[in-house]
Amino acid sequence: MGLIMSDVDRFEAARPRLEAIGYRLLGSASEAEDAVQETFLRWQAADVARIEVPEAWLTKVLTNYCLNQLASARARRETYVGRWLPEPLLAGDPMLGPADTAEQRESVSYAVLVLLERLSPNERAVYVLREAFDYPHREIAEILDITEASSQQILHRAKKHVADGKARTEIDEAAARRIVEEFLAAATSGRTEPLVRLLTQDAVSVGDGGGKVPARAKAFEGALAVATFLRGLFKPSPAKRAYVGGAPDIYATTANGGPAIVAVVDGRVVGITCLEVTAEGITAVRSQVNPDKLVRATERWAAEGQGGSPLYTL
């Protein structure tokens, strides 16, 4: 059945929420957009007049589509070249969704998106719908075709996995910038000692190049190993500049609500490094350099005129 304009408007009103749910479930902005488009096609084909609660219907269709994608993604990621990391989103991106509560902010943090990869599809869906969007267990049960008690049990398990024994620290934008500035000063000092002091003893560093940009598949582990790697990573060289097409300008910003470093060449984002911070120091350094996962960041960087003056040029 064809949609009338009011039906299209109703879907468009729901789009930001659907995209935010899809992003948290899939860890990919482009895949979230595809999921929302598929939801629209099913909305277009439905007898909309018979749908009593459109918002609930749309959420159910989107969530179940994403669950199917997550199931197939596990097989795809077994053949992924190198380490798979989520697609980072820069500050202000509407796909980040609501950020009114600590739970909502944590649910879209880069560290939590990485941890969500450990969950089963159902655990991930329950966690996202409950923690990020405050859906009651009754509605989650209807969306996933499970019992309300099962939804509660699944959430308990998911939260235990996500807690992971580390207390992440909430950081405002000003504090995030100070952390990045201090980190970059240490990383570009040419010495490992200043970096070691900023890192926790069990710090890790990992990158995602998707087979298109060199990135070590095995994580660097331990403060000294991470510091040694980062010292080399932030050392300028003609070879590095030739590879990315110029001298990268390095900016301090936030991505997924946390401190981040953005490398830009001629307006093109070529890398985003997200720092995970605890009370003890920086515990993880995760770099996204796969160009396929930086398209949206580049578009947002250009549209918002972000950056100002770079902190460094490598």
Side-chain angles (χ1 to χ4, degrees):
M1 298 182 66
L3 295 180
I4 61 174
M5 187 57 67
S6 60
D7 295 329
V8 175
D9 291 342
R10 180 172 290 176
F11 182 88
E12 290 304 320
R15 183 184 290 275
R17 177 177 56 84
L18 296 174
E19 287 187 344
I21 293 173
Y23 172 68
R24 283 169 166 84
L25 287 176
L26 299 171
S28 164
S30 60
E31 289 181 13
E33 289 172 341
D34 290 344
V36 172
Q37 181 60 25
E38 180 63 27
T39 302
F40 176 74
L41 293 176
R42 297 185 187 186
W43 173 254
Q44 192 176 39
D47 186 355
V48 173
R50 298 175 65 87
I51 297 175
E52 294 183 6
V53 186
E55 290 73 14
W57 187 94
L58 290 169
T59 302
K60 183 180 179 73
V61 169
L62 175 93
T63 301
N64 282 285
Y65 178 83
C66 289
L67 290 178
N68 290 333
Q69 294 300 105
L70 284 171
S72 63
R74 290 178 182 272
R76 292 199 308 273
R77 288 172 193 171
E78 288 178 1
T79 60
Y80 191 83
V81 179
R83 182 70 66 92
W84 189 96
L85 289 175
E87 178 178 348
L89 297 182
L90 297 177
D93 193 311
M95 198 175 280
L96 290 170
D100 299 324
T101 67
E103 291 80 9
Q104 289 172 339
R105 291 188 292 274
E106 182 176 58
S107 72
V108 80
S109 71
Y110 204 68
V112 166
L113 286 181
V114 171
L115 289 171
L116 289 181
E117 289 296 306
R118 302 180 182 181
L119 305 185
S120 70
N122 262 20
E123 286 174 337
R124 188 163 183 163
V126 171
Y127 181 87
V128 166
L129 292 172
R130 180 64 185 157
E131 294 294 289
F133 296 91
D134 202 28
Y135 277 82
H137 283 289
R138 175 181 53 79
E139 292 186 23
I140 295 173
E142 292 174 356
I143 289 169
L144 299 178
D145 292 323
I146 58 177
T147 66
E148 192 169 338
S150 292
S151 177
Q152 293 168 339
Q153 291 167 359
I154 290 170
L155 178 66
H156 179 71
R157 288 201 307 269
K159 289 176 76 171
K160 278 190 70 174
H161 288 307
V162 170
D164 196 43
K166 289 187 178 179
R168 286 169 289 277
T169 303
E170 270 209 83
I171 297 168
D172 63 25
E173 194 167 336
R177 183 176 179 86
R178 288 195 299 272
I179 289 168
V180 171
E181 288 174 347
E182 189 175 3
F183 175 85
L184 284 173
T188 56
S189 69
R191 297 181 295 122
T192 57
E193 293 83 359
L195 274 168
V196 169
R197 288 195 293 270
L198 294 179
L199 299 166
T200 62
Q201 285 305 304
D202 61 348
V204 297
S205 177
V206 65
D208 177 350
K212 300 182 178 182
V213 174
R216 179 181 160 102
K218 182 174 171 55
F220 291 93
E221 299 180 353
L224 183 58
V226 171
T228 302
F229 164 68
L230 292 172
R231 183 189 65 187
L233 182 67
F234 283 91
K235 183 178 181 180
S237 75
K240 290 176 186 174
R241 291 176 176 177
Y243 193 87
V244 297
D249 290 326
I250 307 299
Y251 298 87
T253 186
T254 60
N256 294 77
I261 299 156
V262 177
V264 181
V265 175
D266 294 331
R268 175 172 52 92
V269 175
V270 296
I272 299 177
T273 297
C274 298
L275 306 179
E276 182 181 348
V277 181
T278 66
E280 290 73 37
I282 297 170
T283 193
V285 181
R286 300 184 178 96
S287 297
Q288 183 56 260
V289 292
N290 182 345
D292 293 342
K293 297 182 183 180
L294 296 172
V295 173
R296 186 179 177 95
T298 295
E299 292 171 349
R300 181 156 185 85
W301 191 266
E304 297 297 316
Q306 297 194 46
S309 299
L311 294 178
Y312 295 94
T313 299
L314 297 182

